[in-house]
Amino acid sequence: MKLADKKYDDALLLYEAVLGDSADGAAESAQKQEALLGKARVLIAQQKPADALKMLEEVILAADGDEVALNAEAFLRKGDCLRELGKEKDAVLDYLRVDLLFSAAKPQHAEALYQLTKLWVKVGHPERAEDARDRLTDSYPNSEWAGRLKAPAG
């Protein structure tokens, strides 16, 4: 809630507390991965994509391949960072990872398709943008992301 309320410093303190916990075990490891991911989200919100990128790479390296939602979220946010840093082709690759490898994570998959509709055009593949748009509106017609496609640009 702290992040959603834009209380970034409070959110960072909470994530740091989890990361500073010395307890070990599978549950604690999962909590630390989530805390790293949360901290990266805060850094992205604070317009610090390069710092967030380092954390996301840690999450991706440590994440188990069957942690679909965690991986999907990490690759999404990595794509966001790369996009913010002007590395659109690299961002496309991370959004594609979500599309191709972690589509079972429905909310993240919808967001990845939305981002691909924007980036494919920028990297010179408008036909792929149309494909992503069609898949987004067909698979997730009532999602926030399909709604953003329909909203007037502003």
Side-chain angles (χ1 to χ4, degrees):
M1 285 305 285
K2 303 283 186 196
L3 182 57
D5 295 337
K6 296 186 179 183
K7 295 181 179 179
Y8 302 131
D9 292 335
D10 292 345
L12 281 176
L13 287 173
L14 291 172
Y15 293 129
E16 288 293 340
V18 173
L19 292 169
D21 189 358
S22 62
D24 280 330
E28 290 81 6
S29 177
Q31 285 179 335
K32 287 184 180 185
Q33 292 303 311
E34 289 290 341
L36 266 179
L37 192 53
K39 189 173 176 182
R41 283 190 207 103
V42 171
L43 292 171
I44 292 168
Q46 293 178 323
Q47 304 295 309
K48 298 177 184 175
D51 294 336
L53 193 56
K54 293 173 191 169
M55 278 175 215
L56 292 165
E57 288 169 352
E58 281 182 52
V59 171
I60 290 165
L61 283 172
D64 198 348
D66 62 355
E67 295 179 69
V68 175
L70 178 72
N71 278 293
E73 186 71 22
F75 279 111
L76 262 180
R77 298 309 141 225
K78 185 178 175 200
D80 293 347
C81 291
L82 292 167
R83 184 174 36 91
E84 291 296 318
L85 293 168
K87 298 179 179 183
E88 280 116 358
K89 287 182 180 179
D90 293 331
V92 164
L93 293 176
D94 285 307
Y95 294 132
L96 274 176
R97 282 184 177 94
V98 177
D99 181 23
L100 300 174
L101 301 175
F102 305 110
S103 62
K106 302 297 184 199
Q108 293 89 348
H109 186 231
E111 184 177 350
L113 290 172
Y114 172 81
Q115 296 298 344
L116 287 168
T117 66
K118 305 296 182 191
L119 286 177
W120 275 130
V121 173
K122 288 184 178 182
V123 299
H125 294 283
E127 71 289 349
R128 291 184 179 174
E130 278 303 312
D131 175 61
R133 175 185 299 275
D134 292 345
R135 291 188 302 125
L136 174 58
T137 56
D138 289 348
S139 299
Y140 308 100
N142 299 318
S143 71
E144 166 191 354
W145 302 105
R148 287 188 185 195
L149 288 177
K150 298 172 192 167

mmCIF file of all heavy atoms in Angstrom, residues 75 78-97 112 115-125:
data_model
loop_
_atom_site.group_PDB
_atom_site.id
_atom_site.type_symbol
_atom_site.label_atom_id
_atom_site.label_comp_id
_atom_site.label_asym_id
_atom_site.label_seq_id
_atom_site.Cartn_x
_atom_site.Cartn_y
_atom_site.Cartn_z
ATOM 1 N N PHE A 75 10.589 -9.598 -15.320
ATOM 2 C CA PHE A 75 10.888 -9.268 -16.717
ATOM 3 C C PHE A 75 10.081 -8.060 -17.196
ATOM 4 O O PHE A 75 10.590 -7.257 -17.989
ATOM 5 C CB PHE A 75 10.676 -10.476 -17.627
ATOM 6 C CG PHE A 75 11.833 -11.426 -17.604
ATOM 7 C CD1 PHE A 75 11.716 -12.685 -17.032
ATOM 8 C CD2 PHE A 75 13.059 -11.067 -18.149
ATOM 9 C CE1 PHE A 75 12.787 -13.563 -17.006
ATOM 10 C CE2 PHE A 75 14.138 -11.937 -18.125
ATOM 11 C CZ PHE A 75 14.004 -13.191 -17.551
ATOM 12 N N LYS A 78 11.862 -5.103 -15.769
ATOM 13 C CA LYS A 78 13.131 -4.933 -16.475
ATOM 14 C C LYS A 78 12.873 -4.268 -17.823
ATOM 15 O O LYS A 78 13.596 -3.348 -18.223
ATOM 16 C CB LYS A 78 13.827 -6.287 -16.653
ATOM 17 C CG LYS A 78 15.205 -6.163 -17.267
ATOM 18 C CD LYS A 78 15.892 -7.508 -17.382
ATOM 19 C CE LYS A 78 17.228 -7.354 -18.109
ATOM 20 N NZ LYS A 78 17.693 -8.611 -18.659
ATOM 21 N N GLY A 79 11.831 -4.708 -18.512
ATOM 22 C CA GLY A 79 11.453 -4.064 -19.766
ATOM 23 C C GLY A 79 11.124 -2.594 -19.561
ATOM 24 O O GLY A 79 11.518 -1.742 -20.366
ATOM 25 N N ASP A 80 10.420 -2.279 -18.479
ATOM 26 C CA ASP A 80 10.097 -0.884 -18.174
ATOM 27 C C ASP A 80 11.367 -0.051 -18.000
ATOM 28 O O ASP A 80 11.462 1.057 -18.514
ATOM 29 C CB ASP A 80 9.268 -0.779 -16.889
ATOM 30 C CG ASP A 80 7.880 -1.376 -17.004
ATOM 31 O OD1 ASP A 80 7.425 -1.675 -18.130
ATOM 32 O OD2 ASP A 80 7.244 -1.551 -15.938
ATOM 33 N N CYS A 81 12.328 -0.610 -17.267
ATOM 34 C CA CYS A 81 13.589 0.105 -17.040
ATOM 35 C C CYS A 81 14.317 0.358 -18.356
ATOM 36 O O CYS A 81 14.784 1.476 -18.617
ATOM 37 C CB CYS A 81 14.502 -0.691 -16.104
ATOM 38 S SG CYS A 81 13.922 -0.790 -14.411
ATOM 39 N N LEU A 82 14.421 -0.671 -19.159
ATOM 40 C CA LEU A 82 15.125 -0.538 -20.435
ATOM 41 C C LEU A 82 14.418 0.467 -21.343
ATOM 42 O O LEU A 82 15.066 1.275 -22.022
ATOM 43 C CB LEU A 82 15.251 -1.899 -21.104
ATOM 44 C CG LEU A 82 16.171 -2.877 -20.370
ATOM 45 C CD1 LEU A 82 16.000 -4.284 -20.898
ATOM 46 C CD2 LEU A 82 17.626 -2.427 -20.459
ATOM 47 N N ARG A 83 13.102 0.437 -21.343
ATOM 48 C CA ARG A 83 12.323 1.401 -22.138
ATOM 49 C C ARG A 83 12.610 2.815 -21.672
ATOM 50 O O ARG A 83 12.848 3.714 -22.472
ATOM 51 C CB ARG A 83 10.829 1.065 -22.026
ATOM 52 C CG ARG A 83 9.928 1.917 -22.874
ATOM 53 C CD ARG A 83 8.482 1.412 -22.808
ATOM 54 N NE ARG A 83 8.084 0.896 -21.516
ATOM 55 C CZ ARG A 83 7.523 1.617 -20.557
ATOM 56 N NH1 ARG A 83 7.263 2.883 -20.730
ATOM 57 N NH2 ARG A 83 7.194 1.055 -19.410
ATOM 58 N N GLU A 84 12.621 3.011 -20.356
ATOM 59 C CA GLU A 84 12.906 4.340 -19.791
ATOM 60 C C GLU A 84 14.327 4.798 -20.111
ATOM 61 O O GLU A 84 14.580 5.991 -20.216
ATOM 62 C CB GLU A 84 12.691 4.340 -18.274
ATOM 63 C CG GLU A 84 11.244 4.201 -17.864
ATOM 64 C CD GLU A 84 10.387 5.375 -18.315
ATOM 65 O OE1 GLU A 84 10.836 6.529 -18.220
ATOM 66 O OE2 GLU A 84 9.269 5.127 -18.797
ATOM 67 N N LEU A 85 15.224 3.852 -20.253
ATOM 68 C CA LEU A 85 16.621 4.179 -20.572
ATOM 69 C C LEU A 85 16.845 4.337 -22.079
ATOM 70 O O LEU A 85 17.973 4.538 -22.520
ATOM 71 C CB LEU A 85 17.554 3.101 -20.004
ATOM 72 C CG LEU A 85 17.618 3.046 -18.478
ATOM 73 C CD1 LEU A 85 18.320 1.774 -18.010
ATOM 74 C CD2 LEU A 85 18.324 4.291 -17.928
ATOM 75 N N GLY A 86 15.764 4.236 -22.864
ATOM 76 C CA GLY A 86 15.869 4.417 -24.304
ATOM 77 C C GLY A 86 16.372 3.198 -25.056
ATOM 78 O O GLY A 86 16.743 3.288 -26.219
ATOM 79 N N LYS A 87 16.338 2.038 -24.407
ATOM 80 C CA LYS A 87 16.808 0.796 -25.026
ATOM 81 C C LYS A 87 15.587 -0.033 -25.440
ATOM 82 O O LYS A 87 15.319 -1.094 -24.885
ATOM 83 C CB LYS A 87 17.694 0.028 -24.047
ATOM 84 C CG LYS A 87 18.948 0.795 -23.662
ATOM 85 C CD LYS A 87 19.797 0.018 -22.677
ATOM 86 C CE LYS A 87 21.054 0.800 -22.332
ATOM 87 N NZ LYS A 87 21.929 0.041 -21.446
ATOM 88 N N GLU A 88 14.879 0.470 -26.463
ATOM 89 C CA GLU A 88 13.613 -0.151 -26.850
ATOM 90 C C GLU A 88 13.752 -1.585 -27.337
ATOM 91 O O GLU A 88 12.927 -2.428 -27.011
ATOM 92 C CB GLU A 88 12.903 0.702 -27.910
ATOM 93 C CG GLU A 88 12.169 1.874 -27.319
ATOM 94 C CD GLU A 88 12.731 3.210 -27.761
ATOM 95 O OE1 GLU A 88 13.730 3.222 -28.515
ATOM 96 O OE2 GLU A 88 12.177 4.230 -27.335
ATOM 97 N N LYS A 89 14.800 -1.875 -28.118
ATOM 98 C CA LYS A 89 14.961 -3.245 -28.623
ATOM 99 C C LYS A 89 15.190 -4.224 -27.488
ATOM 100 O O LYS A 89 14.646 -5.335 -27.490
ATOM 101 C CB LYS A 89 16.111 -3.315 -29.629
ATOM 102 C CG LYS A 89 15.762 -2.672 -30.952
ATOM 103 C CD LYS A 89 16.892 -2.802 -31.946
ATOM 104 C CE LYS A 89 16.511 -2.141 -33.260
ATOM 105 N NZ LYS A 89 17.573 -2.213 -34.250
ATOM 106 N N ASP A 90 15.982 -3.820 -26.503
ATOM 107 C CA ASP A 90 16.207 -4.684 -25.341
ATOM 108 C C ASP A 90 14.920 -4.850 -24.527
ATOM 109 O O ASP A 90 14.625 -5.938 -24.030
ATOM 110 C CB ASP A 90 17.320 -4.119 -24.454
ATOM 111 C CG ASP A 90 18.676 -4.162 -25.133
ATOM 112 O OD1 ASP A 90 18.909 -5.047 -25.977
ATOM 113 O OD2 ASP A 90 19.521 -3.304 -24.813
ATOM 114 N N ALA A 91 14.148 -3.772 -24.409
ATOM 115 C CA ALA A 91 12.881 -3.841 -23.687
ATOM 116 C C ALA A 91 11.932 -4.815 -24.377
ATOM 117 O O ALA A 91 11.259 -5.607 -23.705
ATOM 118 C CB ALA A 91 12.248 -2.454 -23.585
ATOM 119 N N VAL A 92 11.893 -4.786 -25.701
ATOM 120 C CA VAL A 92 11.036 -5.711 -26.447
ATOM 121 C C VAL A 92 11.370 -7.147 -26.063
ATOM 122 O O VAL A 92 10.465 -7.962 -25.850
ATOM 123 C CB VAL A 92 11.186 -5.496 -27.978
ATOM 124 C CG1 VAL A 92 10.633 -6.681 -28.757
ATOM 125 C CG2 VAL A 92 10.490 -4.219 -28.412
ATOM 126 N N LEU A 93 12.647 -7.462 -25.951
ATOM 127 C CA LEU A 93 13.047 -8.833 -25.620
ATOM 128 C C LEU A 93 12.509 -9.265 -24.258
ATOM 129 O O LEU A 93 12.072 -10.409 -24.095
ATOM 130 C CB LEU A 93 14.566 -8.974 -25.664
ATOM 131 C CG LEU A 93 15.198 -8.826 -27.046
ATOM 132 C CD1 LEU A 93 16.719 -8.880 -26.940
ATOM 133 C CD2 LEU A 93 14.679 -9.888 -27.999
ATOM 134 N N ASP A 94 12.525 -8.354 -23.298
ATOM 135 C CA ASP A 94 12.018 -8.728 -21.971
ATOM 136 C C ASP A 94 10.502 -8.854 -21.953
ATOM 137 O O ASP A 94 9.958 -9.748 -21.313
ATOM 138 C CB ASP A 94 12.530 -7.755 -20.911
ATOM 139 C CG ASP A 94 13.985 -8.025 -20.601
ATOM 140 O OD1 ASP A 94 14.316 -9.186 -20.288
ATOM 141 O OD2 ASP A 94 14.798 -7.093 -20.692
ATOM 142 N N TYR A 95 9.804 -7.976 -22.667
ATOM 143 C CA TYR A 95 8.352 -8.118 -22.766
ATOM 144 C C TYR A 95 7.996 -9.402 -23.518
ATOM 145 O O TYR A 95 7.025 -10.076 -23.179
ATOM 146 C CB TYR A 95 7.729 -6.910 -23.450
ATOM 147 C CG TYR A 95 7.848 -5.618 -22.650
ATOM 148 C CD1 TYR A 95 8.293 -4.449 -23.252
ATOM 149 C CD2 TYR A 95 7.516 -5.570 -21.300
ATOM 150 C CE1 TYR A 95 8.397 -3.266 -22.539
ATOM 151 C CE2 TYR A 95 7.630 -4.394 -20.582
ATOM 152 C CZ TYR A 95 8.065 -3.244 -21.203
ATOM 153 O OH TYR A 95 8.169 -2.080 -20.489
ATOM 154 N N LEU A 96 8.803 -9.757 -24.516
ATOM 155 C CA LEU A 96 8.574 -11.010 -25.238
ATOM 156 C C LEU A 96 8.778 -12.223 -24.341
ATOM 157 O O LEU A 96 8.075 -13.225 -24.485
ATOM 158 C CB LEU A 96 9.521 -11.115 -26.439
ATOM 159 C CG LEU A 96 9.058 -10.469 -27.725
ATOM 160 C CD1 LEU A 96 10.150 -10.566 -28.781
ATOM 161 C CD2 LEU A 96 7.774 -11.092 -28.224
ATOM 162 N N ARG A 97 9.725 -12.142 -23.421
ATOM 163 C CA ARG A 97 9.918 -13.255 -22.485
ATOM 164 C C ARG A 97 8.633 -13.504 -21.698
ATOM 165 O O ARG A 97 8.235 -14.651 -21.482
ATOM 166 C CB ARG A 97 11.085 -12.970 -21.544
ATOM 167 C CG ARG A 97 12.424 -13.184 -22.174
ATOM 168 C CD ARG A 97 13.549 -12.984 -21.159
ATOM 169 N NE ARG A 97 14.827 -13.261 -21.764
ATOM 170 C CZ ARG A 97 15.620 -12.336 -22.311
ATOM 171 N NH1 ARG A 97 15.262 -11.070 -22.302
ATOM 172 N NH2 ARG A 97 16.779 -12.678 -22.845
ATOM 173 N N ALA A 112 2.371 -7.006 -20.747
ATOM 174 C CA ALA A 112 3.454 -7.216 -21.726
ATOM 175 C C ALA A 112 2.935 -7.022 -23.151
ATOM 176 O O ALA A 112 3.592 -6.375 -23.975
ATOM 177 C CB ALA A 112 4.056 -8.608 -21.557
ATOM 178 N N GLN A 115 2.562 -3.326 -23.789
ATOM 179 C CA GLN A 115 3.859 -2.673 -24.033
ATOM 180 C C GLN A 115 4.387 -3.024 -25.420
ATOM 181 O O GLN A 115 4.972 -2.181 -26.111
ATOM 182 C CB GLN A 115 4.872 -3.055 -22.949
ATOM 183 C CG GLN A 115 4.504 -2.590 -21.556
ATOM 184 C CD GLN A 115 4.404 -1.077 -21.420
ATOM 185 O OE1 GLN A 115 4.860 -0.316 -22.246
ATOM 186 N NE2 GLN A 115 3.768 -0.638 -20.339
ATOM 187 N N LEU A 116 4.174 -4.268 -25.835
ATOM 188 C CA LEU A 116 4.630 -4.680 -27.163
ATOM 189 C C LEU A 116 3.877 -3.940 -28.271
ATOM 190 O O LEU A 116 4.471 -3.639 -29.314
ATOM 191 C CB LEU A 116 4.497 -6.195 -27.327
ATOM 192 C CG LEU A 116 5.526 -7.007 -26.546
ATOM 193 C CD1 LEU A 116 5.143 -8.481 -26.524
ATOM 194 C CD2 LEU A 116 6.927 -6.815 -27.111
ATOM 195 N N THR A 117 2.607 -3.618 -28.056
ATOM 196 C CA THR A 117 1.876 -2.860 -29.079
ATOM 197 C C THR A 117 2.528 -1.509 -29.310
ATOM 198 O O THR A 117 2.506 -0.988 -30.429
ATOM 199 C CB THR A 117 0.382 -2.635 -28.724
ATOM 200 O OG1 THR A 117 0.271 -1.801 -27.586
ATOM 201 C CG2 THR A 117 -0.345 -3.934 -28.520
ATOM 202 N N LYS A 118 3.104 -0.947 -28.279
ATOM 203 C CA LYS A 118 3.763 0.360 -28.391
ATOM 204 C C LYS A 118 5.177 0.234 -28.962
ATOM 205 O O LYS A 118 5.569 0.996 -29.843
ATOM 206 C CB LYS A 118 3.832 1.039 -27.017
ATOM 207 C CG LYS A 118 2.508 1.197 -26.321
ATOM 208 C CD LYS A 118 1.595 2.100 -27.073
ATOM 209 C CE LYS A 118 0.291 2.286 -26.350
ATOM 210 N NZ LYS A 118 -0.686 2.939 -27.187
ATOM 211 N N LEU A 119 5.920 -0.727 -28.444
ATOM 212 C CA LEU A 119 7.341 -0.819 -28.810
ATOM 213 C C LEU A 119 7.597 -1.421 -30.182
ATOM 214 O O LEU A 119 8.560 -1.045 -30.845
ATOM 215 C CB LEU A 119 8.108 -1.597 -27.743
ATOM 216 C CG LEU A 119 8.352 -0.828 -26.454
ATOM 217 C CD1 LEU A 119 9.056 -1.704 -25.437
ATOM 218 C CD2 LEU A 119 9.156 0.428 -26.705
ATOM 219 N N TRP A 120 6.770 -2.369 -30.604
ATOM 220 C CA TRP A 120 7.001 -2.970 -31.922
ATOM 221 C C TRP A 120 6.995 -1.886 -33.003
ATOM 222 O O TRP A 120 7.790 -1.932 -33.940
ATOM 223 C CB TRP A 120 5.968 -4.039 -32.242
ATOM 224 C CG TRP A 120 6.267 -5.408 -31.709
ATOM 225 C CD1 TRP A 120 5.410 -6.208 -30.994
ATOM 226 C CD2 TRP A 120 7.464 -6.184 -31.867
ATOM 227 N NE1 TRP A 120 6.019 -7.402 -30.693
ATOM 228 C CE2 TRP A 120 7.278 -7.411 -31.220
ATOM 229 C CE3 TRP A 120 8.691 -5.938 -32.478
ATOM 230 C CZ2 TRP A 120 8.247 -8.407 -31.178
ATOM 231 C CZ3 TRP A 120 9.674 -6.920 -32.439
ATOM 232 C CH2 TRP A 120 9.442 -8.139 -31.793
ATOM 233 N N VAL A 121 6.110 -0.923 -32.879
ATOM 234 C CA VAL A 121 6.068 0.172 -33.851
ATOM 235 C C VAL A 121 7.375 0.965 -33.800
ATOM 236 O O VAL A 121 7.960 1.279 -34.842
ATOM 237 C CB VAL A 121 4.847 1.098 -33.589
ATOM 238 C CG1 VAL A 121 4.901 2.332 -34.477
ATOM 239 C CG2 VAL A 121 3.556 0.333 -33.803
ATOM 240 N N LYS A 122 7.834 1.268 -32.604
ATOM 241 C CA LYS A 122 9.060 2.065 -32.447
ATOM 242 C C LYS A 122 10.297 1.369 -33.001
ATOM 243 O O LYS A 122 11.240 2.032 -33.415
ATOM 244 C CB LYS A 122 9.282 2.413 -30.974
ATOM 245 C CG LYS A 122 8.309 3.440 -30.459
ATOM 246 C CD LYS A 122 8.634 3.828 -29.039
ATOM 247 C CE LYS A 122 7.673 4.895 -28.574
ATOM 248 N NZ LYS A 122 7.984 5.347 -27.219
ATOM 249 N N VAL A 123 10.301 0.045 -32.979
ATOM 250 C CA VAL A 123 11.481 -0.679 -33.488
ATOM 251 C C VAL A 123 11.274 -1.171 -34.920
ATOM 252 O O VAL A 123 12.057 -1.970 -35.420
ATOM 253 C CB VAL A 123 11.920 -1.830 -32.544
ATOM 254 C CG1 VAL A 123 12.298 -1.291 -31.174
ATOM 255 C CG2 VAL A 123 10.858 -2.905 -32.444
ATOM 256 N N GLY A 124 10.223 -0.667 -35.569
ATOM 257 C CA GLY A 124 10.053 -0.927 -36.994
ATOM 258 C C GLY A 124 9.293 -2.177 -37.388
ATOM 259 O O GLY A 124 9.470 -2.683 -38.496
ATOM 260 N N HIS A 125 8.432 -2.668 -36.508
ATOM 261 C CA HIS A 125 7.641 -3.873 -36.819
ATOM 262 C C HIS A 125 6.159 -3.632 -36.523
ATOM 263 O O HIS A 125 5.594 -4.248 -35.609
ATOM 264 C CB HIS A 125 8.157 -5.074 -36.035
ATOM 265 C CG HIS A 125 9.527 -5.501 -36.419
ATOM 266 N ND1 HIS A 125 9.792 -6.214 -37.560
ATOM 267 C CD2 HIS A 125 10.723 -5.276 -35.820
ATOM 268 C CE1 HIS A 125 11.096 -6.434 -37.644
ATOM 269 N NE2 HIS A 125 11.685 -5.870 -36.604
#
